[in-house]
């Protein structure tokens, strides 16, 4: 049984995006192109982490290229991936202190160490098991989230590097403003990371690999590619706004539904909770069985559009389980296909359009698509 509102995930599109990114990286200046760490946290931005991971493992690598490393947000996501049969290396981005460390060892996950206390906890856990644990070290170069402060490393690093059961394999940072060409923080963060690389030997960081770039940074500045890049959004076929890369991307997720009813509204009547929408003339509206419980934002009322019969129908009201859209401009009938994200006829609604309409990022639009919405995979 498939509810009328469902998501279609185009795994061929995902692989095509992966290859497009790899093609871009292969055009860098000499040397080996950077490796791809495919970011599949938050259920692969709503696309289904296990299916996305298995598709990337199976088809993304060419004859010569190594398979991607995968990255998830926390140990629990990593354990779920292993339970689904995923064997690629998995980097865990998140804070470890409140998580179940056993999962790291039982499922061969690579944790991020982003504080002295996390390093101590991991060293203890690895020592107790008599193993040496490979870790990535995170440096906070200005985002003020996770990571060792960039300006304090001589004080904090020695304990991590001397921990007998920890092997630092990589060092990374994360940009706060990579998509914003006017913001000075990007360049400041990049320079700080460069300074750490330059002092690597002094800091005891020899023989590690380095990574920094999310989708926006990798599009924007080749100097951030280093040994690996960490695209998320780009894999799903969407460039971080406002960047307009010269890259052939295929949006992977589309969200579709059907009209369940059509009715008339008279001038002056209102629709939805709070009676916030008022018809200024006679209208025909269609009801669509998807609402904020499915991750559709309340702010879409008066701002968003759907495609019905190849025409853009404005959203007039959003409730928990339904939308009311204005179909005055189109012949709509119960059963007609509705597109909330994706193409219909010659028109397309992208996650960037939806994000722009309500003032958020496309990442949020994708991640929020609810658990109640069944994903069907193609192929
Ligand atoms: C989410 C995340 C990424 C990917 O970001 P995109 O903007 O989706 O490319 C990369 N690195 C880290 C540390 C992240 O948390």
């Amino acid at each position: 049984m498939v509810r009328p509102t469902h998501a279609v995930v185009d795994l061929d599109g995902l692989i095509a995006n992966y290859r497009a990114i790899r093609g871009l990286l292969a055009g860098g200046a000499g040397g080996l192109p950077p490796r791809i760490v495919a970011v599949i946290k938050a259920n692969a931005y709503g696309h289904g982490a296990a299916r996305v991971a298995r598709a990337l493992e199976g088809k993304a690598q060419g004859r010569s290229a190594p398979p991607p490393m995968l990255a998830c947000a926390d140990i629990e996501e990593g354990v779920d991936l292993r339970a689904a049969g995923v064997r690629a290396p998995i980097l865990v981005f998140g804070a470890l202190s409140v998580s179940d460390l056993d999962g790291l060892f039982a499922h061969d996950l690579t944790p991020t160490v982003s504080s002295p206390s996390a390093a101590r906890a991991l060293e203890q856990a690895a020592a107790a098991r008599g193993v040496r644990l490979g870790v990535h070290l995170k440096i906070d170069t200005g985002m003020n989230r996770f990571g060792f402060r960039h300006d304090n490393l001589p004080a904090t690093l020695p304990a991590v590097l001397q921990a007998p059961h920890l092997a630092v394999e990589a060092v990374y940072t994360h940009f706060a403003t990579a998509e914003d060409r006017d913001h000075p923080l990007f360049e400041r963060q990049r320079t700080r990371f460069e300074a750490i690389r330059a002092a690597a030997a002094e800091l005891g960081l020899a023989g590690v690999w380095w990574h920094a770039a999310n989708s926006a940074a990798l599009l924007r500045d080749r100097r951030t590619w280093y040994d690996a890049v960490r695209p998320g959004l780009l894999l799903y076929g969407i460039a971080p706004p406002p960047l307009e890369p010269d890259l052939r991307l295929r949006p992977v997720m589309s969200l579709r539904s059907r009209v369940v009813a059509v009715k008339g509204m008279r001038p002056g009547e209102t629709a939805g909770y709070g009676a916030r929408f008022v018809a200024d003339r006679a209208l025909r509206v269609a009801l669509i069985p998807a609402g904020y419980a499915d991750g559709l934002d309340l702010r879409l009322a008066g701002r968003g559009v759907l495609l019905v019969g190849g025409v853009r129908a404005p959203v007039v009201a959003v409730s928990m389980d339904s939308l009311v859209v204005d179909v005055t401009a189109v012949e709509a009938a119960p059963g007609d296909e509705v597109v909330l994200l994706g193409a219909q006829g010659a028109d397309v609604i992208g996650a960037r359009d939806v994000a722009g309409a309500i003032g958020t990022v496309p990442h949020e639009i994708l991640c929020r698509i609810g658990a109640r919405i069944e994903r069907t995979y193609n192929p």
Side-chain angles (χ1 to χ4, degrees):
M1 210 175 68
V2 178
R3 284 204 173 90
T5 305
H6 67 283
V8 181
V9 178
D10 173 14
L11 294 175
D12 283 342
L14 172 84
I15 300 304
N17 297 333
Y18 181 87
R19 291 190 176 141
I21 298 167
R22 211 176 55 202
L24 173 71
L25 299 171
L32 278 181
R35 192 169 168 183
I36 296 178
V37 177
V39 178
I40 57 167
K41 64 190 177 192
N43 199 27
Y45 293 31
H47 294 66
R51 295 297 297 258
V52 163
R54 289 207 304 265
L56 288 170
E57 264 190 327
K59 296 213 208 102
Q61 68 260 46
R63 271 165 307 238
S64 53
M69 185 173 204
L70 305 172
C72 60
D74 58 24
I75 294 173
E76 290 71 15
E77 286 187 355
V79 171
D80 286 346
L81 287 167
R82 290 285 184 246
V86 173
R87 296 160 68 160
I90 298 177
L91 173 63
V92 177
F93 282 148
L96 299 172
S97 51
V98 291
S99 257
D100 161 26
L101 292 186
D102 282 338
L104 286 177
F105 297 92
H107 298 281
D108 190 22
L109 307 174
T110 303
T112 295
V113 173
S114 45
S115 69
S117 64
R120 283 192 296 274
L122 281 178
E123 166 59 24
Q124 256 182 26
R129 290 166 179 80
V131 297
R132 193 138 188 265
L133 180 68
V135 303
H136 288 206
L137 204 73
K138 179 131 184 219
I139 312 288
D140 176 10
T141 51
M143 182 139 174
N144 281 309
R145 210 174 55 174
F146 301 115
F148 290 81
R149 279 195 67 101
H150 68 95
D151 52 4
N152 199 24
L153 295 175
T156 53
L157 276 195
V160 183
L161 296 170
Q162 284 154 24
H165 299 89
L166 301 183
V168 175
E169 294 169 352
V171 178
Y172 76 99
T173 193
H174 191 47
F175 291 111
T177 60
E179 62 294 319
D180 182 354
R181 288 188 189 278
D182 298 327
H183 204 294
L185 183 57
F186 176 77
E187 194 52 22
R188 220 175 291 146
Q189 286 192 271
R190 198 189 65 73
T191 319
R192 287 169 179 163
F193 198 57
E194 273 302 317
I196 294 162
R197 272 169 54 80
E202 272 163 68
L203 291 167
L205 293 170
V208 297
W209 43 296
W210 300 79
H211 53 101
N214 59 359
S215 296
L218 92 80
L219 289 175
R220 176 174 159 185
D221 192 336
R222 291 180 177 211
R223 291 173 299 177
T224 66
W225 289 1
Y226 302 115
D227 303 308
V229 296
R230 302 189 308 267
L233 195 63
L234 275 186
L235 283 175
Y236 307 107
I238 297 154
L243 303 181
E244 297 282 0
D246 185 17
L247 202 60
R248 283 176 65 107
L249 296 171
R250 280 163 59 175
V252 175
M253 166 97 74
S254 66
L255 188 60
R256 294 166 187 278
S257 188
R258 295 200 176 273
V259 172
V260 288
V262 176
K263 63 206 285 185
M265 281 179 69
R266 300 206 166 93
E269 286 182 344
T270 67
Y273 288 112
R276 273 183 285 269
F277 175 78
V278 186
D280 58 358
R281 63 206 150 88
L283 296 178
R284 273 161 55 80
V285 294
L287 311 188
I288 316 300
Y292 63 76
D294 302 297
L296 301 169
D297 200 288
L298 277 171
R299 290 167 296 177
L300 288 168
R303 298 188 182 88
V305 292
L306 315 180
L307 296 172
V308 187
V311 167
R312 294 191 164 216
V315 177
V316 304
V318 180
S319 323
M320 187 185 289
D321 310 301
S322 64
L323 299 173
V324 181
V325 298
D326 178 352
V327 291
T328 312
V330 60
E331 279 301 311
D336 285 359
E337 186 199 53
V338 175
V339 172
L340 297 93
L341 267 185
Q344 188 185 61
D347 206 352
V348 183
I349 297 177
R352 277 171 67 132
D353 305 324
V354 181
I358 61 170
T360 183
V361 289
H363 308 64
E364 185 182 347
I365 301 300
L366 296 174
C367 290
R368 280 237 206 139
I369 292 176
R372 189 165 71 177
I373 292 184
E374 190 168 336
R375 275 74 167 161
T376 55
Y377 290 87
N378 183 11

